[in-house]
Amino acid sequence: GRGVETIPTTIAQVNLGVEVQGKTVAEVQQEAARRSAVVVELLRSRNVEKLQTTGIRLNPNYSYEGNVQRLIGYTAVNTVSFRLDPQRVGNLLDEAVNVGATRIEGINFVASEEAIAQAQQQALRQATQDAQRQADTVLS
């Protein structure tokens, strides 16, 4: 059987981060951690939901001159994700950028877990009823 239930999205899932470049590993790690802590504190103060670190990267930066590779520094990126009311996204992103966020990785719109669970149950009921109708047709 088959069942389909459509539900509206009511939550914004936001991914943003801090990117720092510098000459040494210690320099970029410390600055990325400092800026990230300020951004996370802002997000906590705004009562976002499901705040979590989703990535930490540290990459070397090279220059290439005359077929010679030379290490010129490092880039650190810390990313976090969180959920909030879609109507609050714009203002909060502005605030996050003002306190140090330098990357907006993306915004997805999703439904709540409760709405998804209810929709799944309804779709299963529809699928069961559809399967029963098909079975009755075959048997008759």
Side-chain angles (χ1 to χ4, degrees):
R2 180 184 162 119
V4 177
E5 187 73 9
T6 304
I7 56 175
T9 58
T10 57
I11 300 169
Q13 173 81 38
V14 181
N15 296 297
L16 62 82
V18 171
E19 179 175 333
V20 176
Q21 294 184 356
K23 298 226 180 261
T24 68
V25 168
E27 173 189 352
V28 296
Q29 282 182 318
Q30 289 171 358
E31 185 62 14
R34 186 190 68 75
R35 289 187 194 177
S36 294
V38 174
V39 171
V40 166
E41 185 55 37
L42 168 73
L43 297 173
R44 282 190 179 130
S45 75
R46 299 304 184 262
N47 297 316
V48 300
E49 298 174 6
K50 298 197 175 210
L51 176 61
Q52 63 184 359
T53 298
T54 54
I56 298 173
R57 290 196 324 263
L58 177 66
N59 297 322
N61 296 329
Y62 297 99
S63 71
Y64 298 91
E65 296 174 16
N67 289 333
V68 176
Q69 176 180 318
R70 195 174 113 243
L71 179 66
I72 59 171
Y74 297 88
T75 300
V77 179
N78 290 358
T79 55
V80 296
S81 70
F82 58 93
R83 290 180 166 194
L84 77 159
D85 182 325
Q87 295 179 356
R88 296 177 47 209
V89 170
N91 289 337
L92 187 55
L93 288 179
D94 289 343
E95 288 182 274
V97 168
N98 286 336
V99 300
T102 56
R103 299 172 65 112
I104 298 172
E105 301 282 333
I107 302 170
N108 297 312
F109 297 96
V110 297
S112 70
E113 281 88 6
E114 298 82 23
I116 292 170
Q118 288 175 354
Q120 287 174 332
Q121 292 299 315
Q122 183 60 29
L124 285 171
R125 280 192 284 280
Q126 291 174 9
T128 302
Q129 291 168 355
D130 181 46
Q132 184 64 50
R133 278 191 301 273
Q134 291 180 41
D136 290 346
T137 300
V138 169
L139 293 174
S140 66

